[in-house]
Structures are given as structure tokens and as C-alpha cells.
Amino acid sequence: MTETESIAYDVVVLGGGPVGENVADRTRAAGLTTAVVESELLGGECSYWACMPSKALLRPVIAQADARRLPGLRQAVRGPLDTPAVLAHRDEYASHWKDDGQVAWLEGTGADLYRGHGRLAGPRTVAVTGPDGTVTTLTARHAVAVCTGTRAQLPDLPGLAEVRPWTSREATSAKAAPGRLIVVGGGVVATEMATAWLALGSRVTLLVRGKGLLPRMEPFAGELVADALAEAGADIRTGTSVESVTRENGTVAAVTSAGDRVEADEILFATGRTPQTDDLGLDSVGLRPGSWLDVDDSLRVTGTDWLYAVGDVNHRALLTHQGKYQARVAGAAIAARAAGSPLLDEPWGAHAATADHDAVPQVVFTDPEAAAVGLSLAEAEQAGHRVRAVDVEFSSVAGAGLYGDGYKGRARMVVDLEDEVLRGVTFVGPGVGELIHSATVAVAGRVPLGRLWHAVPSYPTLSEVWLRLLEAYRDN
């Protein structure tokens, strides 16, 4: 192992996914010299094994489902999807698992890229072990930002490694549709991948430990998604955990807590995420390896004045768009502190990631889509807010019927009765993912319901559901 001399930067970013890229973009825009350390592909999980490939798989599925709701089109799309074409489309959106374009972009910002595994080696110091074993030491004058994200968490089942289970990575990058697929879990990854592979020709069995799907959303979201998956042919078993799993002659067999034996060609465990902090040298700065990193609203790690943890690794909101938002806040905070400028860290200030607490949006790209922002009714009540839920069916909106025959969907807004502002909004139905930003603006802006009356939705669109919600609140 060869060690080189130390190289100094203003900022060192550990992890070159979308979060790390955005931190680097903001610090470079502020004139700070910046190094980015990445051990895999620049662009990270989102670009190659999560957001982009999964949505590329799902988009043809959703488009076909929408077409089948319309007279004149449903007859033209009776056949199955062209699975090889869909997978080729996915490959394009994953850049064929090459990061040349992302590297060119980073170089354009003026940041330096170091390939290899980076570990903290004391305060403001990062040791990077390159592919050839050479160790380069980077020091940071102002900040080190940990943006290493998470990886799939697998259960502690004997012999699981020998089974070669799928995680989200294999599920989004598979080269062919398995004939039979077991999906263990009921959250976002589980429901999206069940939707995709079911439409691409797999027979899907969902084994869900909880009572239903999408447990972090309003209950009706999981119910509507479950109904649609079951109608499409999925076998959904709730209240079921996997007790053991084996693979013989290519066939996977899972034995459940109910004593059932389920066989398949592949098994996907979508059972949560764990932080990639176990081999980052956290012990060299007094932190526990493998832990989530606690931060303040400027994303600075508690108890330090130089270490930041941005994105999934801080466990505030495990979503790419929210991590990028944090990165913009963290980059601006690092730049302000470096310049000795005042820190605007009051709620909703330029250097505070306040939306992590009150206005996190998410879209689940199933059919129907489920989209939510802010607090669910249960979360709002648990937080001590005096609230009221207002529900309407999308069937009350002319735009829903025009969107497709037999449109099924539901909307809920959670109203804070003290201030008459929205604490949360949930939409479930085809195409509702494009509605959620209007709700995000209302929640983040704490727009009073009296003012929302003057935000007139265009007719006939799905957005007219806003009028139905406001009318329901007024009339009850």
C-alpha cells in the first residue's frame, strides 16, 4: 500500500450520489475548493439502482394501464408489454451502468473526483484508498460532508446469503423477468417492484408482515394499491413473516409463519434500509460505526463544528429529492460559515432544512399512484395537533372520468383547526403524482384555507379535487 502526500480542500464530500453531487455543486458555486470521494459509480443509488431504473420500468406499465382505461385505446393495447424493450429502455435510463456523463458534469463544476473508499482518519481528515491500493489523504479546511446513503437491510435468516436474494438493486437491474417472484415487504420498494414485474410477466406473491401495504401513508392508500395489485393477479398475504428460505436446483422456497411453503424463481427482500456508515472511520472522531448520524437543521452532526451528514444517512427523510434539498441547505450553510456570514437557521430559513419535519412529499409509482405530503391524520393526532380529516372520492371530479373509465381514487386533507392550514394531504389514483406539488406548496407555505378558496383549479382537470375538498370542509 502506497501513501501519498496530504491534499487540502475547503470541503471534502464522502459519497458521489445525487446528495453529494448537490453539496459539491453548492460549495463550488460559493467558490470553495471541493473534493468528492466515490467508491462506485458517480451518481449513486438513485441513478443506477433506484429512482431512475425503477421509474423507467414502471412508466410503460402505468402508460399501458392508463391506455386500457380509454375507449379506442384499450383494444390497441390488449397484448402484453414488450419486456425486452422495456428492459432496454431501463438500461438507457441507467446509462448502461456507466457514469461518464456524471463525471463530465462534476468536472464542469470544478470539483475534483477521487475514486476509491474514503474513511475519516480524525477531524477534518479523509483517507481515500484507491483501486490500486494507493492511499490519498484529504484534509478539509471547513467541512467534511458524509453523503454515503443507505443499503438494503436483509433479515437475519440462516443461509440467506446462499439463496442469493434480490434486494432493490437486483430488482431494478435484472436482465429478465422471473417466472415467479416472491416479494417480502409491503412498503414503497415492495409495491413498486411488484407492480413492475407483475406487468412484465412474473407471477408475484407478496409476503407482508404488517396488516397492509404502504403502512407509512393513510390506510386507504395501501388498501387501494392492494386491491389493484390483487386484481392484476398478485397473491398478497398480510400478517405473514418469512421464517426460513432455501434454494435448490434454482428454485427458492420460503416458509412463512403460517406454515405455508411458497416457491419462486427469485425472492426480493424489501425490508428496510441501513446506513452505510459501518466502514467510514466514525470511531476516529468519537462516533459509533454503523449508526445513523444525528444532525441539526443545517445538517451539521451533533457535537461537531465541521462534520455534516446529508441525505439518507441522517435518517430524516429517506428520499432522493429530500436529500437533494438537504444538500442545497447544507452547501449554503457550509459556505456561510466559511465566509463568516450570519447563519439563517431559523425555521424555513436559507440554512435550515425545515421541510424535513413538516412538508416531506413522496410519490409511490404504483397503479394507482399514491402521493402524500406532510402528516397523516394519525401522525398529526400523535403530535398533539387538533385536526380534522376531510375525504373526497375522485369520482366527484369531472377530470377523473375523462382521465379514464372506472377511475378509482381518493383524496384527504388534514386540517389544523387552530390556524385553518393544512398539516398533510394524500392523493391516491391514476396520475396523482403530478398533483402533489400543489399540496406541497400549500403545506410548506401554510396557506390558509381562506386563501386556497381563491386558487381556482382549471376545469376539467384532476386538480379540481381541491375544490371538492374545500367544499367538503365548508359543508361539514
Side-chain angles (χ1 to χ4, degrees), residues 119-199:
R119 300 179 84 255
L120 292 168
R124 303 175 190 268
T125 305
V126 174
V128 183
T129 303
D132 62 355
T134 298
V135 177
T136 302
T137 301
L138 308 177
T139 58
R141 300 183 188 91
H142 299 293
V144 174
V146 177
C147 309
T148 50
T150 61
R151 63 177 179 272
Q153 184 175 36
L154 290 170
D156 185 17
L157 289 174
L160 184 60
E162 288 71 33
V163 172
R164 304 182 304 280
W166 278 9
T167 66
S168 53
R169 282 198 168 196
E170 290 77 19
T172 56
S173 62
K175 299 304 181 185
R180 300 164 298 170
L181 174 65
I182 298 169
V183 178
V184 183
V188 177
V189 172
T191 54
E192 287 190 346
M193 290 299 93
T195 298
W197 291 110
L198 188 64

Side-chain angles (χ1 to χ4, degrees), residues 3-189:
E3 188 163 350
T4 65
E5 62 182 340
S6 177
I7 305 172
Y9 287 89
D10 293 323
V11 180
V12 177
V13 179
L14 273 170
V19 175
E21 288 177 327
N22 273 266
V23 172
D25 185 45
R26 291 296 84 212
T27 56
R28 283 298 303 133
L32 300 176
T33 58
T34 302
V36 176
V37 181
E38 176 54 53
S39 61
E40 293 188 284
L41 296 174
L42 190 68
E45 203 78 10
C46 175
S47 297
Y48 308 104
W49 300 286
C51 313
M52 296 308 289
S54 68
K55 302 320 171 275
L57 287 173
L58 285 159
R59 179 59 196 143
V61 174
I62 302 304
Q64 183 190 52
D66 284 342
R68 286 177 171 171
R69 295 184 180 100
L70 291 170
L73 265 181
R74 66 171 60 99
Q75 295 81 4
V77 292
R78 281 180 175 167
L81 287 167
D82 182 341
T83 299
V86 173
L87 297 181
H89 172 71
R90 182 272 319 273
D91 293 351
E92 288 289 331
Y93 271 85
S95 301
H96 297 277
W97 292 274
K98 297 179 181 179
D99 63 0
D100 299 10
Q102 304 257 18
V103 171
W105 173 86
L106 186 70
E107 290 174 344
T109 70
D112 293 338
L113 173 63
Y114 288 83
R115 300 276 195 182
H117 180 66
R119 300 179 84 255
L120 292 168
R124 303 175 190 268
T125 305
V126 174
V128 183
T129 303
D132 62 355
T134 298
V135 177
T136 302
T137 301
L138 308 177
T139 58
R141 300 183 188 91
H142 299 293
V144 174
V146 177
C147 309
T148 50
T150 61
R151 63 177 179 272
Q153 184 175 36
L154 290 170
D156 185 17
L157 289 174
L160 184 60
E162 288 71 33
V163 172
R164 304 182 304 280
W166 278 9
T167 66
S168 53
R169 282 198 168 196
E170 290 77 19
T172 56
S173 62
K175 299 304 181 185
R180 300 164 298 170
L181 174 65
I182 298 169
V183 178
V184 183
V188 177
V189 172

Side-chain angles (χ1 to χ4, degrees), residues 242-289:
V242 175
E243 300 295 314
S244 67
V245 60
T246 56
R247 185 189 288 270
E248 293 182 13
N249 300 319
T251 297
V252 175
V255 177
T256 73
S257 53
D260 297 327
R261 176 184 172 91
V262 185
E263 294 187 348
D265 300 290
E266 300 292 350
I267 184 168
L268 162 62
F269 281 90
T271 50
R273 309 288 297 181
T274 191
Q276 296 206 96
T277 60
D278 48 332
D279 191 21
L280 284 184
L282 292 182
D283 51 333
S284 73
V285 294
L287 297 171
R288 182 168 59 85

Side-chain angles (χ1 to χ4, degrees), residues 414-434:
V414 179
V415 181
D416 187 314
L417 296 175
E418 300 292 338
D419 302 321
E420 285 207 322
V421 296
L422 299 180
R423 287 287 177 181
V425 180
T426 299
F427 300 125
V428 183
V432 299
E434 296 300 335

